[in-house]
Structures are given as structure tokens and as C-alpha cells.
Amino acid sequence: MAVVRTHRYTVVTGKLAQLLEQRTLVLRAIRSANAAFTAATLIRQEDGSYLDIWRWESAEGMRCATAGAQNCPLATAAAALTTHHSVVDGKVLDER
């Protein structure tokens, strides 16, 4: 069953372009290392925050790929451009 990890954050003022570049590098690295990663969608909310929704084929694939994220320089650099970061995981129950 597919799972998603939803990151919610705000971007440091003036750093959106840099965040988008860093995010691209992080996503490329994840895709090259883990075939279970299937999609990433970035949404700007009306309140100025962002939802970054990452989709995985399975919870195990997500856990394997994210286990070392705290020691990944690319992920650390991207996270440094955000504030008020929270993460929620969930299972996909229905898609139409």
C-alpha cells in the first residue's frame, strides 16, 4: 500500500529559489538510491506555508530511504532554508 510523508514548513524570506534548487538535488538523490520513491508534490498554501508531499510505494521503502536523512548533507542544507517544519506520515486509502 502506498504511503505519503507530508512536510509542512515555511521558507526563510528570500530563500525560495535556493530551496527549490536544494529540493531538486535531494529528490534526485532519493530517486537514484530508492525505487520505492514515486513522486513529490510541492504546494504553496494560502497562509504562505508549504506542503511537500512525498509518495512511496510502501512504508518499508520510505523507512529505508529516510533512515539516514539526518546525516545527509543535501537534506540538511535544504532543511536549513525552512522554519516551522513538521512531518506527518499516512497511508493512501483512496485515489480517483
Side-chain angles (χ1 to χ4, degrees), residues 7-85:
H7 303 259
R8 183 182 176 107
Y9 51 81
T10 56
V11 178
V12 174
T13 302
K15 300 293 184 179
L16 180 58
Q18 188 177 355
L19 174 71
L20 294 174
E21 290 174 16
Q22 289 288 12
R23 181 177 178 272
T24 296
L25 296 174
V26 170
L27 296 176
R28 281 184 192 154
I30 292 170
R31 280 193 174 101
S32 69
N34 192 316
F37 181 66
T38 60
T41 303
L42 182 62
I43 302 164
R44 185 186 321 217
Q45 301 290 107
E46 287 181 354
D47 66 359
S49 67
Y50 293 82
L51 292 179
D52 203 350
I53 303 168
W54 297 13
R55 183 185 173 104
W56 305 83
E57 290 178 357
S58 67
E60 182 166 333
M62 180 180 70
R63 280 192 297 273
C64 288
T66 59
Q70 294 181 6
N71 297 324
C72 175
L74 290 174
T76 302
L81 302 170
T82 68
T83 60
H84 304 97
H85 194 165

